[in-house]
Amino acid sequence: MTTTSNLWTNSDLRLQASRELPGLTKELKSDKSERMERVEHGTDLFGEMKQRFLSFKKHKYMQNLELYEKLAKDQAPKFMVIACADSRVCPSSILGFQPGEAFVVRNVANMVPPYENGPSETNAGLEFAVNSLKVENILVIGHSRCGGIRALMSMHDDVETSSLIGSWVSVGMNARVRTKAATKLLNFDQQCKHCEKESVNCSLVNLLTYPWVEEKVRNGELRYSRRLLRLRRLCI
């Protein structure tokens, strides 16, 4: 009886599925039509990404096959780069890094939290780059007109933020305090400009709170530096 019941159930399911197929086919055709319409109007962004990938594969990957096959087996970058997630400041594009040359971590406002703050994606990347990849240089890249820095400078001293962005950029609170003290007579935009530099300085200080970074710097095995990119000509 159980077997018969299961057979009837499976038959019912197949019958139900067959009844739904026309509607599903119609939906798929509709989706295809919408996709074709997007292509005609130049808005098929994922299609464009696919074409970019195919172009990369043909003109870069296949023409440098030996390099990419080597990179597939191992990596030995000389640099670790900590940069902002801002879409306008891609480290590889601006500094000309080629595949395999730089291990890059990007976050909001290019911040390095101190060691005592506990685990984060940024210091996990830092640990891997320093201890496993044995990078010789750490470069912290700041930039002007940074939205993360503006969020930091907009925070109120006596109000605890509940937003994820606010919780993250509070890593740079020391930079904010120093900026406020040094720029009391300046307007908000000028204060943000100052804080963009001060935040990078604080990140460099925070790097030395990691025991294995401090040890390698002291032994001359690791160097760290800063760079600030100006966006006057890149921003509208």
Side-chain angles (χ1 to χ4, degrees), residues 95-165:
L95 299 178
F97 285 120
Q98 299 303 308
E101 290 184 344
F103 182 81
V104 181
V105 171
R106 300 180 69 174
N107 63 47
V108 173
N110 43 266
M111 292 185 175
V112 178
Y115 180 73
E116 58 267 21
N117 276 29
S120 71
E121 180 184 2
T122 298
N123 53 33
L126 179 64
E127 181 179 48
F128 179 70
V130 173
N131 292 337
S132 297
L133 297 179
K134 311 294 184 185
V135 297
E136 299 174 1
N137 307 276
I138 299 176
L139 178 62
V140 179
I141 301 178
H143 71 97
S144 62
R145 304 189 183 187
C146 178
I149 294 298
R150 294 185 74 86
L152 173 64
M153 292 300 295
S154 300
M155 294 172 64
H156 297 286
D157 295 326
D158 54 348
V159 178
E160 186 174 345
T161 181
S162 59
S163 75
L164 295 175
I165 293 176

Side-chain angles (χ1 to χ4, degrees), residues 159-196:
V159 178
E160 186 174 345
T161 181
S162 59
S163 75
L164 295 175
I165 293 176
S167 296
W168 169 252
V169 298
S170 63
V171 166
M173 191 58 70
N174 286 341
R176 180 181 183 277
V177 170
R178 293 174 184 174
T179 296
K180 288 288 188 179
T183 61
K184 293 179 180 178
L185 301 180
L186 301 182
N187 62 38
F188 182 74
D189 287 340
Q190 291 172 321
Q191 290 180 341
C192 288
K193 184 176 180 179
H194 185 280
C195 191
E196 288 158 359

Side-chain angles (χ1 to χ4, degrees), residues 25-226:
T25 303
K26 182 179 180 181
E27 182 179 338
L28 290 173
K29 287 182 178 179
S30 175
D31 181 66
K32 183 177 180 180
S33 299
E34 291 178 4
R35 190 163 63 250
M36 291 299 295
E37 184 177 350
R38 290 198 302 270
V39 172
E40 291 174 1
H41 290 82
T43 58
D44 186 14
L45 298 181
F46 286 102
E48 181 183 342
M49 291 300 103
K50 179 180 179 180
Q51 292 305 313
R52 290 187 187 185
F53 167 72
L54 294 175
S55 177
F56 162 80
K57 185 176 181 180
K58 178 180 179 180
H59 298 292
K60 292 187 178 181
Y61 179 81
M62 295 306 297
Q63 293 181 13
N64 297 279
L65 191 57
E66 184 178 349
L67 168 64
Y68 285 104
E69 287 181 340
K70 181 180 179 181
L71 290 174
K73 298 175 183 177
D74 194 17
Q75 62 171 321
K78 300 294 183 183
F79 282 89
M80 177 186 185
V81 177
I82 300 171
C84 186
D86 193 303
S87 63
R88 301 166 293 180
V89 286
C90 175
S92 294
S93 295
I94 294 173
L95 299 178
F97 285 120
Q98 299 303 308
E101 290 184 344
F103 182 81
V104 181
V105 171
R106 300 180 69 174
N107 63 47
V108 173
N110 43 266
M111 292 185 175
V112 178
Y115 180 73
E116 58 267 21
N117 276 29
S120 71
E121 180 184 2
T122 298
N123 53 33
L126 179 64
E127 181 179 48
F128 179 70
V130 173
N131 292 337
S132 297
L133 297 179
K134 311 294 184 185
V135 297
E136 299 174 1
N137 307 276
I138 299 176
L139 178 62
V140 179
I141 301 178
H143 71 97
S144 62
R145 304 189 183 187
C146 178
I149 294 298
R150 294 185 74 86
L152 173 64
M153 292 300 295
S154 300
M155 294 172 64
H156 297 286
D157 295 326
D158 54 348
V159 178
E160 186 174 345
T161 181
S162 59
S163 75
L164 295 175
I165 293 176
S167 296
W168 169 252
V169 298
S170 63
V171 166
M173 191 58 70
N174 286 341
R176 180 181 183 277
V177 170
R178 293 174 184 174
T179 296
K180 288 288 188 179
T183 61
K184 293 179 180 178
L185 301 180
L186 301 182
N187 62 38
F188 182 74
D189 287 340
Q190 291 172 321
Q191 290 180 341
C192 288
K193 184 176 180 179
H194 185 280
C195 191
E196 288 158 359
K197 301 175 183 178
E198 192 61 53
S199 176
V200 175
N201 291 334
C202 286
S203 286
L204 295 180
V205 171
N206 287 344
L207 280 173
L208 293 179
T209 64
Y210 294 85
W212 21 272
V213 171
E214 192 276 334
E215 180 183 3
K216 289 182 179 293
V217 170
R218 181 163 29 87
N219 294 337
E221 302 173 46
L222 182 65
R223 295 181 298 174
Y224 62 102
S225 183
R226 56 168 277 178

